[in-house]
Each structure stands twice: as C-alpha cells, then as structure tokens.
Amino acid sequence: MSKNIGVLGCGWLGLPLAKKLIEDGYNVHGTTTSSDKFSALENEGIKPFKVRLSEKEIEGDIQSFLSHLDTVIINVPPKLRGKQTESYVEKIKHLITEIKKSDVSHLIFVSSTAVYGDADGEVSEESPTQPTTESGRQLVECENLLKNENGFITTIIRFGGLIGPNRHPVTMLSGRENLTGGNNPINLIHLHDCIHMIATILEQGYWGELFNGVYPHHPKKQIYYFEEAQKRGLPAPAYDEEPDTKGKIVLSKNFMGKGQTFQTAIDS
C-alpha cells in the first residue's frame, strides 16, 4: 500500500491528524467546506479540496480528492443536535458511490460510543448497539453500510467524548444547576489519543476491525467536573442527588488487547 491518504473533514480532529500523517511521511489530501481554509492546509503540506456532503449530492470535485488515494479517513460527524436534522445516512451513501468509482481500498470511519445508547455497566466492542438518539441510530446504519461493502475494507473507531485544546465539557457545564446523571461514569478521550489510535491502525494494518476509543479512567461525572472546574477557576456544575447507578463504562478492549496503550490523561 502506498503512502497516499485522504482526510475527509479537516476540522478540530482532522487538521491535526493530517499534520501528524504528513510528519509520518504520508502524502495527504484534505477536504474543507470553505476555500478560505485552503492556505492553512497548504501551509501544513496538505493538498486541499473543497468538498461538502449533503443529503442530495456531494458538492465539489470529490473524484479529484479521491484520485491516487489508497486510504480515506471519514471524519464528518452527523449534524443532528438540537433542532438540526439531516439524513447522515444519505450523505454516506453518496460517498460510498463515489469511493467505489475510485481506487480507494481502505477506509477508517470515525463513529461514536453513542451507538451503545444508555447501556448500564461495562460495554466493549462485543456489546450490542442500542442507540437512543437519532445521531446514534444513523451512525449504526452507516457503520453497517460501510463494513458490508465489498469494494473496500473498513475499520471503525467509536470515540467517546472528545477533549483537547479549546474543547472540554466542563466549560459548557460550568455554573449549571439541577443536572442529572452525576453518579454516571465519564467516557472521554483526548485529541492526542484519537490521533494516536488512527496512526497506530495505519501503521499496524488493523483493517476490517472495530475499536472503541475511550481513555481507561471513569470517575463519576460530578466528581470529575467539580475538579476540572476548580482547576480552571470556574463555577462547578451542580448535580441533583440521585441513587447510585452503574452507568455506562466503555472499554477499549480491542485496542488494548493488542498491547496498545493510551498516552494522554483526561485529567487537566
């Protein structure tokens, strides 16, 4: 396999990932939805393409982006929070059609632990999916579409909550009151470990596999967010008193079972 790779979605995760891949000797194509960001990508050695996925079509020259690539990392999350609605599944179907026209043979699909829904206790890659949100349901359908295709081989990574530079849930939770689920465990992963996992999959050739990406430390939300707020000098979120529950603990069984480790703690 050559060192030609595409990152579909050069945002908060995709751009630093693409920069890491450049450092590792890959030739990287990257997409953005705005041509204003071309110079930022070019300055990092990334060949930029303006591509936007929509329910009806793919806007932009997707075939130029896919040309000469062996591997594509799909890092375009569903926009299904709040009042936002879309068919993420239709977007991925359009993408599959275009990928099958190209020479791409391997995919990494960035998914989410939301596919496990409100499971109670430990869950691993062997656990059944039982999504409770529209985003989770559409992610499960897209995972199945990709892994059942014969024209390419897909590895799926289900990341937990993402934290890193300028991104931490405590900034949104700070000062809020009457929150529920304070006894539930957290399932987070740092940006650096997201990149570490993807780079490891590429380096080791872990194809056709499924990985959870969650740091193996799961304190209760009310304890963790209280401590993180204090470290930042922010008002801590206040949780209602509730019976102690197991909550969902997502295990990264497959990744760690290969002797791999996580490298960046989720504690500030």
Side-chain angles (χ1 to χ4, degrees), residues 9 14 44 46 72 74 76 80 111 129 138 180 195 199 207 222 260:
E44 300 295 344
I46 303 161
V72 170
I74 303 174
V76 183
L80 290 164
S111 187
T129 56
Q138 292 202 35
T180 59
I195 294 170
W207 295 112
Q222 59 185 341
Q260 305 295 341

Side-chain angles (χ1 to χ4, degrees), residues 37 55 72 77 82-83 86 88 105 141 149 171 236 250 263:
K37 298 178 181 177
E55 297 174 322
V72 170
K83 295 181 180 179
E86 67 170 12
Y88 183 67
S105 56
E141 188 171 346
E149 277 291 338
T171 59
V250 181
Q263 302 177 337

Side-chain angles (χ1 to χ4, degrees), residues 239-257:
Y239 287 86
D240 291 338
E241 288 190 21
E242 296 175 321
D244 218 357
T245 57
K246 288 182 181 179
K248 179 174 65 181
I249 296 177
V250 181
L251 305 179
S252 301
K253 185 176 177 181
N254 286 356
F255 191 66
M256 299 183 75

Side-chain angles (χ1 to χ4, degrees), residues 64-89:
S64 290
F65 164 70
L66 295 171
S67 65
H68 307 299
L69 299 183
D70 300 299
T71 304
V72 170
I73 299 164
I74 303 174
N75 177 45
V76 183
K79 295 178 180 178
L80 290 164
R81 294 194 175 192
K83 295 181 180 179
Q84 292 180 310
T85 59
E86 67 170 12
S87 176
Y88 183 67
V89 173

Side-chain angles (χ1 to χ4, degrees), residues 113 160-161 163 168-170 173 181-189 214-228 239 246-251 265-268:
T113 55
I163 63 171
H168 199 288
V170 75
L173 295 171
N183 290 321
N184 290 341
I186 60 164
N187 294 282
L188 301 177
I189 183 170
V214 175
Y215 190 81
H217 178 49
H218 306 273
K220 292 180 179 180
K221 288 182 179 180
Q222 59 185 341
I223 296 173
Y224 176 76
Y225 289 126
F226 175 81
E227 293 175 348
E228 290 297 307
Y239 287 86
K246 288 182 181 179
K248 179 174 65 181
I249 296 177
V250 181
L251 305 179
I266 56 172
D267 298 315
S268 299

Side-chain angles (χ1 to χ4, degrees), residues 174-232:
S174 173
R176 292 178 60 183
E177 299 180 348
N178 304 120
L179 296 175
T180 59
N183 290 321
N184 290 341
I186 60 164
N187 294 282
L188 301 177
I189 183 170
H190 195 280
L191 170 65
H192 294 163
D193 271 330
C194 295
I195 294 170
H196 166 61
M197 284 191 74
I198 293 171
T200 300
I201 288 166
L202 293 169
E203 179 183 349
Q204 299 297 325
Y206 295 152
W207 295 112
E209 301 200 45
L210 170 63
F211 297 97
N212 290 334
V214 175
Y215 190 81
H217 178 49
H218 306 273
K220 292 180 179 180
K221 288 182 179 180
Q222 59 185 341
I223 296 173
Y224 176 76
Y225 289 126
F226 175 81
E227 293 175 348
E228 290 297 307
Q230 281 200 319
K231 292 172 185 175
R232 291 167 171 78

